[in-house]
């Protein structure tokens, strides 16, 4: 069950020539693929393009109408390897995944693909996850494109440019026999806009045609001696072909070339941020009319020497806007200017930060410093006023403060009722008995256990590599056994992505003695709740229901325990204690199963609302805290960290410590207080049943309980009054 359904929106993909398409960036990318005559598509979900995979999954009937093969790949490497279909056949293929971690996973397949080259157009759509909205290490796709000689498109962030970039990407790939990377930034994926649609095209050559007409070209296979010629072919044939195509098609754009004797060259993806910064400086309006010449590189790699010569000749200085470090583009431009003998001064990282996302505030500061240096803006002067097309912009002089000074930091955390919380609570409780253990974390929701209140986990090396990153923590054969075992944690998504072979099978082969905890919440929850092999839900187009325990035992693990309800804290602590103290040799695997609460709520809440509206009886469970019983030690918060737990003033005037309170966001999972009618963490917790459309019996029982409680309260009040001072 994906985080969001696009069943209604995908009907827009049927729009034909001349109709106006309105929607989100990822829908526009899908429509562009259909208009480009793509033959097959594959990918792996991951922010910021998770929803692109969801769109494609919901549009499978439309894709099938055009004979397009679509696959939810097991990993980014699997997806990238499918592009081999374009090596020998005139098949247009596209794959998509998150960058840069997705590109890292897919690097082997992509490097081989780029070496031999392609016949059909091969497009790699990477969600560029860089900057403050990123969930990964701060790296860029640019370095990989340069390393493997793949061309990198970075279109201006608006729907018409993104759609055109998809089409140009296929054409560029076929013209230069090289795979092309299309970089779609995180905000571009979800921006809304419109463009004029074209007719969808069935592929001129289909997967079925390829199967019925097999072909091979030994020169395209990465094997000596052909592989020695690929490098020469890249720079002597494919690169010049790509440059010619970029120039002839006009993929890069020049704006207002004669406006001033200085200019700004920028990556296409930074165009919106630059225009907003120029607006604040009074040098552009909302329509993008600029008083500073702009050279927009919708193709970030390769650069075109002739276009830089055209833009820089006769100018005093040029500023290069390029996110991240190393400054590949700036270095390349410096080399171009040097070889051409142009005296144009080059600026970039000298007025802009070396690292970090170039948002409007950052770009504003760098552009202002550049323009002040060349006298286009006076540092002490009042802000300029620009009037164009009936609009005017007044700009204050103060620089926008950094985001960290205006936005309160909010570290990521687990959702309310998350079934992974009891796992980490159990680890904390067991460590009180057995001492601290080395814990290797993994990519996914469980990574949030590194932060308070759990403070667990020492490393994370990649998706599904939790167990592999703990493999060094085994005592050498023949040595004295260690007093403690290392613990590694991974999710079910990471297990199927990479963990089964790189982690569990590797541990079996190398006779590891460590414990691997596999958190099985039925989905790739962190990427949006997509189904995987072990999902329990029926999926009409995919095979699900394959047990993780069967796979683990299949590769040779003998000590395996499966807990089917993580909220049973007593069972969780017991299983952990056994796994960490058993004398049985070999790797230990503990599978902790409970459905992702976010997906469970997505499924059950609409059904509950429908039942209430229909007049049927619906019971919702919530937990609360008795303020008279609560001691204010807040162990419930320290051991669960649930967002529905907070503190409130103590109602007892003789006690100073605030008491715990449960907010309305509680989903009644039971972890924070009671499990199966028994208080687990503290006796101050109580469970309440909220009944919609109660029956007569419910009302009668409620009245009886109210009267009994009132009678008991009167007796307690009399007792206290009797012994009061």
């Amino acid at each position: 069950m994906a985080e969001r359904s696009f069943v209604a929106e995908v009907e827009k993909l049927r729009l034909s020539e001349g109709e106006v398409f309105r929607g989100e960036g990822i829908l526009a990318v899908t429509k562009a693929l259909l208009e480009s005559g793509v033959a097959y598509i594959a990918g792996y979900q991951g922010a910021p393009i998770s929803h692109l995979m969801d769109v494609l999954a919901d549009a499978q009937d439309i894709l099938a109408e055009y004979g397009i093969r679509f696959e939810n790949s097991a990993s980014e490497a699997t997806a990238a390897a499918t592009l081999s279909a374009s090596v020998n056949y005139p098949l247009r293929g596209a794959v998509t995944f998150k960058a840069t971690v997705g590109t890292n996973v897919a690097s082997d397949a992509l490097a081989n693909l780029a070496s031999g080259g392609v016949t059909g157009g091969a497009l790699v759509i990477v969600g560029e996850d860089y900057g403050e909205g990123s969930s990964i290490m701060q790296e860029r796709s640019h370095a990989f494109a340069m390393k493997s000689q793949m061309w990198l498109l970075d279109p201006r962030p608006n729907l018409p440019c993104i759609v055109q970039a998809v089409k140009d990407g296929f054409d560029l790939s076929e013209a230069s026999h090289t795979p092309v990377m299309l970089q779609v930034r995180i905000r571009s994926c979800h921006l809304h806009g419109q463009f004029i649609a074209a007719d969808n095209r069935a592929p001129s050559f289909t997967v079925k045609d390829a199967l019925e007409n097999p072909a091979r070209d030994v020169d395209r296979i990465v094997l000596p001696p052909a592989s020695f010629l690929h490098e020469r072919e890249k720079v002597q044939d494919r690169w010049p072909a790509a440059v010619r195509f970029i120039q002839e098609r006009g993929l890069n754009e020049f704006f207002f070339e004669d406006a001033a004797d200085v200019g700004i060259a920028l990556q296409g993806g930074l165009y919106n941020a630059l225009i907003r910064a120029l607006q604040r400086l009074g040098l552009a309006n909302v329509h993008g009319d600029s008083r500073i010449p702009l050279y927009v590189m919708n193709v970030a790699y390769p650069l075109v020497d002739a276009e830089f010569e055209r833009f820089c000749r006769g100018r005093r200085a040029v500023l290069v806007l390029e996110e991240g470090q190393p400054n590949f583009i700036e270095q390349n431009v410096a080399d171009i200017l040097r070889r051409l003998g142009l005296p144009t001064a080059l600026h970039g990282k000298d007025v802009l930060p070396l690292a970090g996302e170039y948002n409007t505030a950052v770009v504003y500061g760098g552009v202002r410093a550049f323009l002040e240096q060349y006298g286009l803006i006076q540092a002490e002067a009042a802000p300029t006023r620009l009037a164009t097309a009936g609009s005017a912009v007044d700009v204050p002089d103060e620089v926008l403060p950094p985001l960290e000074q205006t936005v309160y930091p909010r570290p990521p955390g687990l959702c309310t009722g998350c079934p992974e919380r009891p796992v980490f609570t159990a680890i904390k409780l067991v460590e009180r008995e057995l001492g601290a253990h080395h814990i290797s974390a993994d990519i996914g929701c469980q990574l949030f256990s590194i932060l308070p209140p759990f403070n667990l986990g020492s490393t994370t090396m990649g998706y599904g590599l939790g167990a592999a990153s703990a493999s060094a923590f085994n005592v050498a054969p023949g040595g004295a056994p260690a007093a403690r075992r290392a613990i590694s944690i991974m999710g079910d998504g990471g297990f199927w992505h990479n963990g089964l072979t790189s982690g569990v099978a590797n541990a079996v082969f190398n006779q590891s003695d460590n414990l691997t905890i596999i958190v099985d919440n039925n989905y790739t929850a962190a990427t949006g709740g997509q189904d995987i092999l072990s999902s329990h839900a029926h999926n009409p187009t995919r095979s699900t229901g394959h047990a993780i325990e069967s796979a683990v035992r299949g590769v040779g693990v003998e000590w395996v325990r499966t807990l089917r309800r993580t909220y049973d804290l007593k069972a969780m602590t017991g299983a952990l204690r056994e796994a960490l103290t058993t004398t049985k040799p070999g790797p230990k695997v503990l599978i902790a199963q409970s459905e992702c609460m976010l997906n469970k709520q997505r499924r059950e809440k609409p059904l509950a609302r429908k039942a209430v509206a229909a007049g049927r009886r619906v019971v919702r469970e919530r937990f609360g805290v008795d303020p008279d019983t609560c001691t204010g030690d807040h162990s419930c918060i320290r051991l669960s960290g649930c967002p529905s737990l907070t503190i409130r003033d103590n109602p007892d005037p003789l006690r100073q410590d605030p008491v715990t309170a449960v907010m309305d966001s509680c989903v009644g999972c039971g972890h924070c207080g009671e499990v199966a009618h028994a208080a687990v963490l503290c006796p101050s917790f109580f469970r309440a049943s909220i009944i919609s459309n109660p029956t007569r019996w419910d009302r009668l029982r409620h009245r009886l309980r109210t009267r009994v409680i009132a009678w008991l309260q009167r007796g307690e009040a009399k007792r206290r009054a009797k012994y009061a001072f």
Side-chain angles (χ1 to χ4, degrees):
M1 179 181 181
E3 177 182 347
R4 179 180 167 191
S5 172
F6 291 87
V7 172
E9 288 95 325
V10 295
E11 289 304 313
K12 299 177 185 177
L13 300 176
R14 300 183 186 276
L15 293 178
S16 55
E17 180 74 37
E19 296 184 274
V20 178
F21 185 104
R22 296 181 177 87
E24 201 170 349
I26 49 178
L27 281 162
V29 169
T30 309
K31 175 61 173 165
L33 290 171
L34 286 166
E35 294 178 0
S36 300
V38 68
Y40 64 95
I41 309 171
Y44 189 83
Q45 58 271 0
I49 50 83
S50 293
H51 288 166
L52 178 53
M53 290 297 293
D54 297 337
V55 169
L56 292 165
D58 287 337
Q60 286 185 75
D61 57 338
I62 300 176
L63 299 177
E65 291 175 12
Y66 293 92
I68 301 170
R69 163 69 176 173
F70 168 65
E71 177 175 295
N72 280 98
S73 304
S75 71
E76 297 87 349
T78 308
T82 65
L83 289 175
S84 66
S86 294
V87 171
N88 294 303
Y89 305 95
L91 290 167
R92 285 192 163 185
V95 298
T96 182
F97 38 74
K98 173 181 178 176
T100 58
V101 289
T103 308
N104 292 341
V105 174
S107 60
D108 200 12
L110 291 177
N112 278 275
L113 183 75
S115 181
V118 295
T119 301
L123 188 66
V124 183
I125 304 170
V126 292
E128 191 69 1
D129 201 359
Y130 182 82
E132 285 134 353
S134 172
S135 62
I136 58 168
M137 74 286 289
Q138 297 298 285
E139 292 185 354
R140 299 177 295 152
S141 304
H142 200 114
F144 189 92
M146 294 176 63
K147 184 271 293 183
S148 290
Q149 301 287 281
M150 299 173 64
W151 318 138
L152 177 64
L153 304 185
D154 186 7
R156 286 193 290 137
N158 63 67
L159 261 54
C161 287
I162 293 172
V163 169
Q164 189 59 46
V166 173
K167 299 178 179 180
D168 289 338
F170 282 118
D171 291 341
L172 174 59
S173 176
E174 290 171 346
S176 61
H177 299 291
T178 304
V180 170
M181 298 178 73
L182 171 62
Q183 176 176 288
V184 188
R185 294 160 186 257
I186 188 168
R187 292 177 178 84
S188 302
C189 291
H190 306 298
L191 64 82
H192 286 253
Q194 65 182 43
F195 64 94
I196 304 301
D199 290 332
N200 296 336
R201 292 168 44 199
S204 57
F205 191 86
T206 66
V207 173
K208 182 174 180 292
D209 294 331
L211 287 170
E212 294 173 352
N213 300 277
R216 62 189 295 267
D217 182 356
V218 176
D219 290 339
R220 299 273 69 81
I221 300 175
V222 186
L223 179 72
S227 56
F228 302 142
L229 303 178
H230 293 167
E231 184 73 7
R232 187 179 303 164
E233 183 184 88
K234 284 181 182 180
V235 296
Q236 291 184 350
D237 299 330
R238 298 187 212 163
W239 191 325
V243 170
R244 285 195 302 271
F245 182 90
I246 294 166
Q247 290 181 281
E248 293 169 1
R249 186 68 69 91
L251 301 190
N252 297 321
E253 299 172 286
F254 295 85
F255 295 112
F256 312 103
E257 285 188 83
D258 300 326
D261 62 354
V262 301
I264 301 175
L266 64 145
Q267 296 169 283
L270 296 176
Y271 177 82
N272 288 2
L274 174 62
I275 291 299
R276 287 193 292 269
L278 290 174
Q279 283 181 253
R280 287 187 56 82
L281 290 166
L283 298 173
N285 61 15
V286 294
H287 305 289
D289 299 319
S290 170
R291 291 170 57 180
I292 303 297
L294 306 178
Y295 173 49
V296 181
M297 293 172 282
N298 294 313
V299 182
Y301 181 78
L303 300 187
V304 181
D305 293 24
E307 291 184 350
F308 266 98
E309 181 179 10
R310 165 185 166 182
F311 186 69
C312 295
R313 188 172 293 279
R315 299 198 192 282
R316 286 187 292 159
V318 167
L319 171 67
V320 173
L321 280 184
E322 173 190 10
E323 281 182 325
Q325 186 71 6
N327 51 343
F328 299 120
I329 295 178
E330 186 179 346
Q331 292 178 34
N332 200 340
V333 174
D335 178 67
I336 293 172
L337 296 179
R338 176 72 173 175
R339 283 188 286 107
L340 294 174
L342 296 179
T344 306
L346 181 63
H347 297 273
K349 299 297 184 183
D350 56 333
V351 295
L352 286 154
L354 294 177
E357 182 181 14
Y358 281 5
N359 54 37
T360 301
V362 172
V363 173
Y364 173 87
V367 171
R368 185 183 185 95
F370 170 68
L371 296 178
E372 285 177 357
Q373 185 172 344
Y374 289 92
L376 275 77
I377 289 181
Q378 297 298 322
E380 292 81 16
T384 54
R385 183 177 176 86
L386 173 67
T388 307
S391 64
V393 180
D394 283 318
V395 182
D397 280 333
E398 70 273 10
V399 177
L400 291 175
L403 282 179
E404 60 267 19
Q405 295 181 14
T406 57
V407 179
Y408 191 79
R410 186 184 178 189
L414 298 168
C415 302
T416 301
C418 175
E420 301 187 15
R421 290 185 185 278
V423 178
F424 306 128
T425 299
I427 294 175
K428 296 287 286 185
L429 293 173
V430 169
E431 283 194 330
R432 289 181 178 180
E433 304 174 29
L434 305 179
H437 289 67
H438 175 85
I439 299 176
S440 294
D442 203 299
I443 301 296
C445 298
Q446 64 278 355
L447 190 60
F448 301 148
S449 66
I450 290 179
L451 302 173
F454 302 112
N455 300 304
L456 298 171
S458 302
T459 57
T460 175
M461 289 291 104
Y463 196 27
L465 293 177
S469 62
S471 59
F473 295 95
N474 283 280
V475 177
R484 296 172 189 167
R485 295 186 171 104
I487 301 173
S488 61
I489 305 172
M490 72 174 77
D492 46 354
F495 171 80
W496 292 116
H497 178 275
N498 201 5
L500 175 59
T501 53
S502 297
V504 178
N506 180 72
V508 172
F509 182 67
N510 287 287
Q511 299 180 330
S512 167
D513 195 42
N514 294 336
L515 167 63
T516 298
I517 302 172
I518 302 173
V519 182
D520 181 6
N521 57 25
N522 298 355
Y523 311 93
T524 53
T527 65
Q530 294 85 1
D531 286 335
I532 51 178
L533 270 169
S534 53
S535 295
H536 295 173
H538 171 69
N539 189 316
T541 62
R542 300 290 181 267
S543 177
T544 55
H546 302 278
I548 292 177
E549 181 173 341
S550 299
V552 167
R553 292 191 183 276
V555 296
V557 179
E558 297 181 1
W559 195 102
V560 184
R561 300 289 185 273
T562 298
L563 296 179
R564 307 198 183 281
R565 188 170 182 271
T566 62
Y567 301 105
D568 188 344
L569 203 58
K570 183 177 180 180
M572 278 298 309
T573 53
L576 281 169
R577 189 181 298 109
E578 180 187 356
L580 294 172
T581 58
T582 180
T583 58
K584 185 176 180 62
K588 289 82 182 167
V589 174
L590 175 60
I591 304 167
Q593 292 182 333
S594 276
E595 183 180 10
C596 167
M597 183 57 71
L598 202 59
N599 261 24
K600 184 178 180 180
Q601 294 298 314
R602 290 190 188 113
R603 186 183 68 255
E604 292 186 348
K605 279 186 176 180
L607 297 177
R609 286 194 296 266
K610 187 179 295 184
V612 170
R616 295 196 295 272
R617 180 178 182 271
V618 176
V619 180
R620 292 175 294 147
E621 287 191 347
R622 292 293 184 271
F623 282 75
V625 175
D626 180 1
D628 293 327
T629 307
C630 179
T631 62
D633 71 341
H634 307 140
S635 62
C636 52
I637 296 176
R638 292 196 306 273
L639 288 172
S640 79
C642 183
S644 67
L645 293 177
T646 185
I647 57 174
R648 54 179 288 190
D649 291 336
N650 200 315
D652 189 339
L654 299 179
R655 293 190 294 170
Q656 298 298 316
D657 292 331
V659 297
T660 300
V662 181
M663 296 189 295
D664 292 339
S665 59
C666 172
V667 296
C669 70
H671 174 49
C672 63
E674 293 184 358
V675 175
H677 307 286
V680 173
L681 295 175
C682 178
S684 63
F685 279 88
F686 64 86
R687 183 176 63 184
S689 297
I690 303 172
I691 304 176
S692 300
N693 301 319
T695 63
R696 290 183 179 180
W697 169 245
D698 291 326
R699 296 178 188 278
L700 176 61
R701 185 169 53 179
H702 175 68
R703 285 195 295 269
L704 289 173
R705 286 175 173 173
T706 302
R707 290 175 182 175
V708 171
I709 292 172
W711 178 76
L712 292 173
Q713 287 175 332
R714 286 194 298 271
E716 177 66 13
K718 289 179 181 179
R719 187 186 67 80
R720 291 190 178 188
K722 180 178 179 180
Y723 295 101
F725 291 106

